[in-house]
Amino acid sequence: MTTFQTIDDLESGRRLLVRIDVNAAVEDGTVQDDRRFARHAETIRELLADDHAVALLAHQGRPGRETFVSLEGHADILADHLDHPVAFVADTCGDEALAAIDDLELGDVILLENVRMCDGELPEEEPDVKAETDLVRTLAREFDAYIGDAYPAAHRSHASIVGFPQVMDAYAGRVMEQEYTAIRAVRERTFDGPVTMVLGGTKAEDTIPILERLDDTVDRFCLGGVVGELFLRAGGHDVGYDVAGTALFDHQWEDHRTDLERILETSRDRLFLPTDLAYEDDAGKRTEVSLEGTSKERPFLDVGSETADRYADLAADSAAVFVKGALGVFEDDRFADGTVTVLSAIADTDCFSVIGGGDTARVIELYEFDEDDFSQVSIAGGAYVRALAGESLVGIGALADNP
Ligand SMILES: Nc1ncnc2c1ncn2[C@@H]1O[C@H](COP(=O)(O)OP(=O)(O)OP(=O)(O)O)[C@@H](O)[C@H]1O
Ligand SMILES: O=C(O)[C@H](O)COP(=O)(O)O
């Protein structure tokens, strides 16, 4: 078992650099979901109770995307959860940040600007390369210790995840510790009956390794969302094309076509694909169409009800169900039916269930599911499924290697 120091091992009254992950859905510049904030607030609250000074480091979105915004609003949300001031600093490792860090006193919390605005944070590189970045070299000397709490980003070999533990005393925060322990326990379980995985969402790069690596654990994969459409396209159907300028489909098709076609060929008996899809008609209403009636001129935004019912039956008949990624654009309630139907079936049975995905976990709140109806809800997406598939996460490895 991987072992790392946790915040239980910290002496009180230290100056701490704490990497959290409050990356959230953002619309028109505003954060739409506070689940990750609530979880990290637990770690920060404990650190404050032990009289530490806390500087938070976090990211939001990726350069070039609409969700790549400042963390100013995030500081307010965090302060609400903590019921304690969180001062936002509009700089990450320049003079303004260093001045704010200099002023930091025990019991204070500051949030530094989006770390992905800093040179050196991206791209993914080896930890020793990341340790040499200006970001790490500059901030490391300002603190007594680094706390790695960003479990949802623990699969990314970025400077703020793997660089600091190379050069600083490092500890896991509560989110890192709890999510790691919970997924590890799931991996060790065996189930008396079929195991089903519902895979949707937008990221083929997260889904493809799961399909390959969970081959002997999962008996059936129910596919939907953008990923499901890409598989349908690999099977020769007229879906999975960029028709609304999103660059969600065609780029992923170019990058992953060979894998999609190969997996479809080799795992056909385990893959369940949509047999109908839903779209917005000219009157703005949800309309469903069977696969024979699809056209590449139209965006599909959800699986149809025949597919949703079939997936719900498979889930209800399972000993365990894992969910990653939504089956449709659930943020629009016209296209939430697929995801909500399947989650309702899972909630209504007593199978073991894990719901993961930073966006997907939002469905629970938006559609008023009771979290207790699921065995576990992870705030992570890519990290959760990689860990479930037995991959080691670089962010965990970095904390474990810390002397
Ligand atoms: N057909 C579709 N077209 C466009 N977007 C879709 C479609 N189906 C699902 N989505 C979108 O997929 C998103 C969830 O996918 P994502 O890959 O971000 O999954 P996640 O695992 O929940 O999150 P993360 O990996 O970021 O933690 C939702 O916001 C939903 O709107
Ligand atoms: O939301 C996530 O999955 C993590 O914060 C990682 O974000 P990324 O996929 O942009 O690296």
Side-chain angles (χ1 to χ4, degrees):
M1 176 184 172
T2 307
T3 50
F4 39 65
Q5 304 187 92
T6 72
I7 56 176
D8 292 325
D9 302 308
L10 264 176
E11 281 169 35
S12 62
R14 316 282 288 174
R15 294 170 63 76
L16 304 176
L17 180 64
V18 184
R19 175 57 158 106
I20 57 172
D21 186 342
V22 284
N23 187 34
V26 169
E27 272 169 36
D28 300 327
T30 308
V31 169
Q32 301 295 308
D33 173 35
D34 65 354
R35 296 182 69 84
R36 290 181 175 177
F37 293 80
R39 291 286 305 279
H40 284 296
E42 291 171 29
T43 301
I44 302 165
R45 214 174 281 120
E46 272 197 55
L47 296 174
L48 290 176
D50 275 345
D51 206 23
H52 298 292
V54 174
L56 301 167
L57 201 53
H59 74 278
Q60 172 61 57
R62 285 185 167 234
R65 300 206 186 147
E66 267 178 39
T67 53
F68 184 58
V69 297
S70 163
L71 297 183
E72 188 168 3
H74 295 58
D76 296 336
I77 301 172
L78 211 41
D80 284 348
H81 279 280
L82 279 172
D83 203 14
H84 182 97
V86 176
F88 171 68
V89 181
D91 181 25
T92 316
C93 63
D95 291 346
E96 191 180 338
L98 292 176
I101 293 166
D102 208 33
D103 288 346
L104 193 64
E105 294 185 4
L106 299 182
D108 286 351
V109 184
I110 60 172
L111 172 63
L112 301 171
E113 182 56 290
N114 189 343
V115 68
R116 290 188 178 172
M117 293 179 179
C118 255
D119 287 345
E121 169 65 357
L122 306 173
E124 294 200 74
E125 290 168 308
E126 290 299 316
D128 53 344
V129 175
K130 289 306 186 191
E132 289 299 315
T133 56
D134 277 350
L135 167 70
V136 172
R137 291 163 72 110
T138 308
L139 291 185
R141 54 178 174 251
E142 302 296 320
F143 297 94
D144 299 321
Y146 167 87
I147 310 296
D149 208 28
Y151 183 83
H155 56 312
R156 305 292 190 213
S157 196
H158 294 156
S160 63
I161 303 290
V162 298
F164 290 105
Q166 295 278 312
V167 294
M168 294 171 75
D169 205 10
Y171 302 80
R174 288 290 179 236
V175 172
M176 188 70 93
E177 186 188 352
Q178 285 163 0
E179 292 261 348
Y180 169 76
T181 312
I183 297 296
R184 211 177 148 270
V186 171
R187 268 189 54 72
E188 283 174 2
R189 283 185 70 131
T190 49
F191 300 101
D192 190 14
V195 176
T196 300
M197 182 141 200
V198 179
L199 277 174
T202 55
K203 298 173 191 164
E205 61 162 324
D206 280 349
T207 310
I208 287 169
I210 302 163
L211 289 163
E212 305 206 280
R213 301 216 34 198
L214 279 177
D215 218 29
D216 36 337
T217 320
V218 173
D219 301 298
R220 45 214 193 182
F221 292 99
C222 297
L223 294 161
V226 170
V227 174
E229 284 186 50
L230 289 171
F231 271 102
L232 287 173
R233 182 164 166 182
H237 295 283
D238 273 342
V239 298
Y241 293 87
D242 280 338
V243 283
T246 56
L248 258 185
F249 290 94
D250 291 345
H251 279 169
Q252 299 207 77
W253 175 251
E254 277 162 34
D255 291 346
H256 301 293
R257 176 185 185 156
T258 318
D259 290 332
L260 293 162
E261 289 175 341
R262 179 174 41 76
I263 294 169
L264 193 59
E265 177 76 25
T266 53
S267 305
R268 196 68 194 89
D269 55 330
R270 286 165 192 267
L271 297 188
F272 290 78
L273 297 178
T275 49
D276 57 349
L277 294 164
Y279 64 95
E280 180 181 11
D281 68 16
D282 293 342
K285 291 213 169 65
R286 174 189 174 106
T287 299
E288 298 192 354
V289 63
S290 72
L291 273 190
E292 290 71 49
T294 55
S295 133
K296 64 176 133 183
E297 271 78 52
R298 170 180 285 151
F300 294 100
L301 301 171
D302 193 10
V303 297
S305 28
E306 181 184 281
T307 306
D309 290 343
R310 193 161 47 101
Y311 289 0
D313 288 346
L314 287 167
D317 164 54
S318 299
V321 187
F322 304 121
V323 179
K324 154 75 168 94
L327 297 177
V329 181
F330 66 82
E331 296 88 344
D332 180 332
D333 58 13
R334 294 169 302 168
F335 301 106
D337 292 7
T339 311
V340 169
T341 301
V342 174
L343 285 187
S344 303
I346 300 170
D348 287 347
T349 59
D350 56 5
C351 67
F352 181 85
S353 57
V354 186
I355 314 299
D359 292 303
T360 311
R362 265 182 85 200
V363 183
I364 292 176
E365 198 171 298
L366 274 177
Y367 294 94
E368 297 178 353
F369 283 97
D370 184 347
E371 198 162 322
D372 292 341
D373 284 336
F374 305 102
S375 314
Q376 197 181 313
V377 179
S378 173
I379 56 165
Y384 139 69
V385 282
R386 280 174 170 79
L388 198 61
E391 255 180 62
S392 343
L393 304 179
V394 284
I396 299 279
L399 294 176
D401 291 343
N402 189 250

